[in-house]
C-alpha cells in the first residue's frame, strides 16, 4: 500500500510541475509562434497535430475510439478549454506581452470558486483557501503594477484593454470547460479523452481561422524557424505533456487546487522571458512574486493536516503577508 501511495504522490508532484513550469513557458512559445502564424491557425495546428499523435498511439494499443456520447462530452470540454481558453490567449498575445497574458488569465482560481456552486460551502468554510486566494490576488495586482509600464508597446490603449477583456473571457471559458470535464467525464481512458478533445478543438480553431480570414494572411515562405520551434514546443509539451497532467489532476484533486497553476505561470513566464528574451524584472515584481507564492502555499497546504506547532507558524506567516498586502486593500487581517 505504501508503494502505491508513494507512486501516486510522485505522479501528483510531477503533474503539478508540468502545469506549473511547462504552461508558464508556453506564453513565450506562443509569442514566437505568432511571428509566423495567425493566432487561431497556430492554435488549431497545435491541437490537431497533438490530438492525431495521441489518437494514433492509443489505436496502436488497440483502444476503441469511444461512443458518440464520449465524443460529444470531449467536444464540449475541448472547445471550452482549448479553443476558447487557449485560443483566445493566442489572440490576446498579438497585443500584450507574454507576461501580461499570463497575469491576465491568473484569475482562474477565483472563477473556479464563483462558478463551482456545488462546492461553495467547502470553499468558503476553509479559511486557508480563502486567505490564500485573497493573498494571491493581492500579489497579482502588485505584480501587474510592476510589469506594465506605459509606452512600452505600440498597441493603442483601447486595443490593449480589449485584449485584456478577451483574456479574461478565455479564463472563464477554461474554468467552465474544466468544471464540465470534472463533472461529466467521458468513458474512455484519459489519453483517449484528451486525444478527442485536442482533435475537436484543433478542428474548431481552424474553422474559426477560416471565418476570420487568417488563411489569407498565412505565408508559408515567411515563417521563421523560431515560429516552427514554438509550434513544436506547444504540440509536444504544452498540448500533450502539460495538458495530460492537467486533465489527470482534475480527476484526483480539487479544481481550485489545480487552478493554482495560474499563479505560478506568470512567475515562470517572467523568468523564461528574462532568460530567453532578455526581459528585466523589477523589485516590485519580485515583491509581487513572493506574495503570490505565499498565496499558492496556503491554498495547497490547506488540504493537509498539521501539528499545532506548524499551524502556529503558518498562521504567523499568514499575518506577516497580510500586513504586506493590506496597504493595497485587497485583504483584511
Amino acid at each position: 500500500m505504501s508503494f502505491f501511495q508513494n507512486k501516486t504522490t510522485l505522479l501528483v508532484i510531477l503533474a503539478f510541475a508540468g502545469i506549473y513550469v511547462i504552461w508558464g513557458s508556453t506564453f513565450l512559445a506562443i509569442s514566437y509562434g505568432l511571428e509566423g502564424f495567425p493566432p487561431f491557425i497556430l492554435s488549431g495546428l497545435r491541437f490537431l497535430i497533438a490530438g492525431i499523435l495521441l489518437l494514433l498511439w492509443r489505436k496502436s494499443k488497440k483502444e476503441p475510439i469511444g461512443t458518440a456520447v464520449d465524443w460529444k462530452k470531449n467536444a464540449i470540454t475541448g472547445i471550452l478549454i482549448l479553443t476558447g481558453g487557449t485560443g483566445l490567449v493566442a489572440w490576446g498575445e498579438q497585443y500584450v506581452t507574454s507576461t501580461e497574458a499570463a497575469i491576465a488569465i491568473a484569475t482562474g482560481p477565483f472563477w473556479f470558486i464563483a462558478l463551482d456552486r456545488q462546492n461553495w460551502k467547502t470553499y468558503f468554510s476553509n479559511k486557508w483557501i480563502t486567505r490564500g486566494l485573497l493573498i494571491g490576488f493581492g500579489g497579482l495586482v502588485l505584480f501587474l503594477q510592476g510589469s506594465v509600464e506605459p509606452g512600452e508597446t505600440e498597441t493603442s490603449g483601447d486595443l490593449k484593454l480589449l485584449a485584456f477583456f478577451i483574456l479574461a473571457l478565455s479564463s472563464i471559458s477554461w474554468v467552465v470547460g474544466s468544471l464540465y470535464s470534472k463533472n461529466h467525464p467521458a468513458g474512455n481512458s484519459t489519453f483517449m479523452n484528451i486525444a478527442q478533445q485536442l482533435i475537436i478543438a484543433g478542428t474548431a480553431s481552424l474553422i474559426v481561422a477560416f471565418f476570420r480570414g487568417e488563411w489569407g494572411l498565412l505565408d508559408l515562405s515567411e515563417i521563421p524557424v523560431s515560429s516552427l520551434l514554438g509550434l513544436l514546443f506547444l504540440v509536444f509539451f504544452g498540448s500533450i505533456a502539460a495538458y495530460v497532467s492537467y486533465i489527470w489532476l482534475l480527476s484526483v484533486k480539487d479544481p481550485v487546487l489545480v487552478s493554482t497553476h495560474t499563479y505560478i505561470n506568470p512567475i515562470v513566464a517572467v523568468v523564461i522571458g528574462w532568460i530567453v528574451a532578455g526581459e528585466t524584472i523589477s523589485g516590485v515584481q519580485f515583491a509581487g512574486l513572493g506574495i503570490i507564492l505565499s498565496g499558492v502555499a496556503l491554498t495547497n497546504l490547506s488540504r493537509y493536516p498539521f501539528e499545532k506547532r506548524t499551524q502556529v507558524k503558518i498562521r504567523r506567516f499568514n499575518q506577516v503577508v497580510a500586513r504586506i498586502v493590506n496597504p493595497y486593500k485587497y485583504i483584511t487581517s
Side-chain angles (χ1 to χ4, degrees):
M1 178 66 71
S2 177
F3 170 78
F4 291 106
Q5 289 177 341
N6 292 337
K7 183 178 179 180
T8 300
T9 300
L10 177 60
L11 289 175
V12 169
I13 293 173
L14 291 175
F16 269 109
I19 64 174
Y20 281 171
V21 179
I22 295 176
W23 269 345
S25 305
T26 56
F27 290 96
L28 186 61
I30 288 173
S31 68
Y32 281 122
L34 290 172
E35 294 176 0
F37 298 96
F40 282 97
I41 290 180
L42 175 65
S43 298
L45 292 176
R46 165 189 179 179
F47 301 143
L48 191 59
I49 294 172
I52 291 174
L53 290 175
L54 280 177
L55 182 65
L56 292 176
W57 173 53
R58 296 317 300 167
K59 287 300 295 178
S60 71
K61 301 293 184 180
K62 309 299 182 181
E63 182 177 345
I65 61 173
T67 65
V69 174
D70 294 329
W71 278 91
K72 178 183 177 181
K73 290 181 178 180
N74 285 322
I76 295 173
T77 298
I79 290 174
L80 286 172
I81 292 181
L82 299 172
T83 306
T86 305
L88 291 178
V89 171
W91 183 92
E93 282 200 43
Q94 296 176 109
Y95 310 107
V96 301
T97 67
S98 59
T99 300
E100 290 172 334
I103 296 169
I105 67 167
T107 55
F110 307 103
W111 291 117
F112 265 114
I113 288 180
L115 299 174
D116 191 12
R117 293 186 59 182
Q118 65 182 17
N119 289 312
W120 275 359
K121 183 177 180 180
T122 300
Y123 296 150
F124 291 110
S125 64
N126 190 314
K127 64 180 181 180
W128 298 115
I129 288 181
T130 54
R131 289 180 180 180
L133 291 172
L134 289 171
I135 288 173
F137 180 72
L140 284 172
V141 174
L142 181 60
F143 186 27
L144 184 59
Q145 290 178 346
S147 301
V148 182
E149 297 293 338
E152 285 187 346
T153 66
E154 298 179 358
T155 305
S156 67
D158 290 342
L159 190 55
K160 199 167 187 178
L161 185 62
L162 175 62
F164 280 122
F165 176 74
I166 294 299
L167 288 169
L169 289 180
S170 76
S171 183
I172 296 174
S173 180
W174 182 282
V175 168
V176 173
S178 298
L179 291 174
Y180 179 87
S181 173
K182 185 174 182 65
N183 297 325
H184 302 85
N188 307 311
S189 70
T190 299
F191 289 109
M192 180 58 76
N193 286 334
I194 292 173
Q196 293 178 5
Q197 292 166 19
L198 286 165
I199 289 172
I200 294 173
T203 303
S205 297
L206 294 177
I207 293 173
V208 172
F210 172 78
F211 284 105
R212 293 189 71 248
E214 290 187 1
W215 290 102
L217 303 175
L218 181 64
D219 187 350
L220 296 178
S221 64
E222 296 294 327
I223 298 176
V225 175
S226 59
S227 292
L228 294 174
L229 293 176
L231 175 59
L232 290 175
F233 182 89
L234 292 171
V235 168
F236 290 100
F237 292 95
S239 296
I240 295 181
Y243 190 58
V244 167
S245 299
Y246 179 76
I247 294 298
W248 179 74
L249 283 173
L250 282 178
S251 67
V252 297
K253 292 292 180 181
D254 289 339
V256 171
L257 188 62
V258 179
S259 72
T260 55
H261 73 87
T262 56
Y263 284 159
I264 300 297
N265 290 163
I267 301 172
V268 176
V270 169
V271 173
I272 295 296
W274 171 55
I275 295 174
V276 177
E279 299 174 355
T280 59
I281 305 175
S282 68
V284 176
Q285 285 177 313
F286 273 118
L289 296 184
I291 296 173
I292 291 170
L293 284 173
S294 68
V296 173
L298 288 175
T299 304
N300 279 270
L301 295 177
S302 64
R303 295 304 190 192
Y304 299 93
F306 297 103
E307 298 178 355
K308 290 186 177 180
R309 181 179 301 178
T310 304
Q311 292 179 6
V312 171
K313 291 181 179 179
I314 294 176
R315 188 178 299 110
R316 289 176 179 174
F317 175 76
N318 180 47
Q319 292 172 349
V320 171
V321 175
R323 294 191 188 100
I324 296 175
V325 184
N326 189 54
Y328 293 89
K329 300 181 186 297
Y330 290 104
I331 68 167
T332 57
S333 57

